Amino acid sequence: MRRAAVFLLLAVPFASAWSVTSPEAEVKRLSQQFSDASASGDAATLGRLLDDRVVFMNENGELSSRAEILAGTQPTPAGRHNELVQSDWNFVLQGDTAVTSFTDNGSFTMGSIVTHASFKSIETWQHKKDGWKMIASQTLAVQNDPAAVTLPAADLDQYIGTYSAGMAATVKITRTPRGLESSTNGGAAKALDAEVRDVLFTPGQPRTRRIIQRDAAGHVTGFIARREGHDLLYRKQAS
């Protein structure tokens, strides 16, 4: 009986901490608080929410300790206002640990200029004696298609042809009433748009570009398939 009573006494602080609100509601509130503090440069709030041993990776792939995060946090300068609003919230509770995922929808104001960006994050929170603490976080910047431009028909015609990077990789570019299309290794054709002259992209694949190559006379000789700074050269085959 004494063992049962001791167990109940030990459980009371933990249970009472959760009795006011559900774990999901509390973690969601704290997570949005963390986003707000990140946007405004509120180091005090970040320090309160971060665990001392947090593993934190930002959208640039950089790992930072709690001390490094706090040292690099500065209040937003006058004339600027940042806002991060969460959406697409998901929550999984395993014992005293919660794993969340969401999208931070950012608005960044500089005077009369407003820009937008979105970030997808996974956060891990753990319930401790002094409440929920973030013990891990990873963020990815959401990439979007660039604005497409309309090129003259004569330019589009120059891109038509078959390109090869070797026997295992062949791309065929064709023209339809809609514009350009491309297929890889005989697969289904996909739309191909121009970001600027001689820079092409496939809608829905913002991580890649096709950069047209020309000889000294201006004839198309191939394209570079560029994916996040890594290049693969395709040469145009004789028709």
Side-chain angles (χ1 to χ4, degrees), residues 3 19 21 67 93 161 173 205 216 232:
R3 290 181 63 187
S19 61
T21 185
L93 181 66
I173 297 179
Q205 299 180 12
L232 180 61

Side-chain angles (χ1 to χ4, degrees), residues 40-114:
S40 64
D42 180 355
T45 297
L46 296 182
R48 177 171 55 81
L49 297 175
L50 287 168
D51 184 74
D52 288 342
R53 298 184 297 167
V54 65
V55 178
F56 194 97
M57 179 179 287
N58 66 20
E59 63 272 19
N60 296 318
E62 300 166 341
L63 279 173
S64 300
S65 67
R66 179 179 182 275
E68 289 169 335
I69 293 170
L70 299 184
T73 300
Q74 300 294 329
T76 306
R80 296 190 180 186
H81 175 73
N82 303 326
E83 186 176 32
L84 293 170
V85 178
Q86 294 184 2
S87 64
D88 310 317
W89 173 264
N90 289 288
F91 178 88
V92 176
L93 181 66
Q94 297 190 29
D96 63 353
T97 303
V99 179
T100 72
S101 66
F102 57 89
T103 301
D104 255 333
N105 304 285
S107 299
F108 309 98
T109 303
M110 295 181 292
S112 61
I113 301 172
V114 181

Side-chain angles (χ1 to χ4, degrees), residues 50-202:
L50 287 168
D51 184 74
D52 288 342
R53 298 184 297 167
V54 65
V55 178
F56 194 97
M57 179 179 287
N58 66 20
E59 63 272 19
N60 296 318
E62 300 166 341
L63 279 173
S64 300
S65 67
R66 179 179 182 275
E68 289 169 335
I69 293 170
L70 299 184
T73 300
Q74 300 294 329
T76 306
R80 296 190 180 186
H81 175 73
N82 303 326
E83 186 176 32
L84 293 170
V85 178
Q86 294 184 2
S87 64
D88 310 317
W89 173 264
N90 289 288
F91 178 88
V92 176
L93 181 66
Q94 297 190 29
D96 63 353
T97 303
V99 179
T100 72
S101 66
F102 57 89
T103 301
D104 255 333
N105 304 285
S107 299
F108 309 98
T109 303
M110 295 181 292
S112 61
I113 301 172
V114 181
T115 59
H116 301 278
S118 295
F119 309 89
K120 288 189 176 295
S121 293
I122 290 178
E123 292 178 349
T124 305
W125 295 74
Q126 192 170 68
H127 195 275
K128 302 193 173 188
K129 291 180 180 179
D130 53 348
W132 288 98
K133 299 293 181 181
M134 184 190 296
I135 62 172
S137 175
Q138 182 177 13
T139 296
L140 297 173
V142 177
Q143 300 189 48
N144 299 303
D145 289 339
V149 300
T150 301
L151 297 178
D155 283 351
L156 300 181
D157 288 340
Q158 294 178 45
Y159 304 144
I160 294 171
T162 301
Y163 301 78
S164 176
M167 295 183 63
T170 300
V171 171
K172 186 176 183 180
I173 297 179
T174 57
R175 189 173 164 214
T176 70
R178 178 224 173 260
L180 294 177
E181 290 186 345
S182 72
S183 62
T184 301
N185 294 335
K190 297 182 179 179
L192 196 61
D193 288 341
E195 183 173 1
V196 295
R197 185 175 186 267
D198 288 353
V199 179
L200 310 178
F201 69 95
T202 299

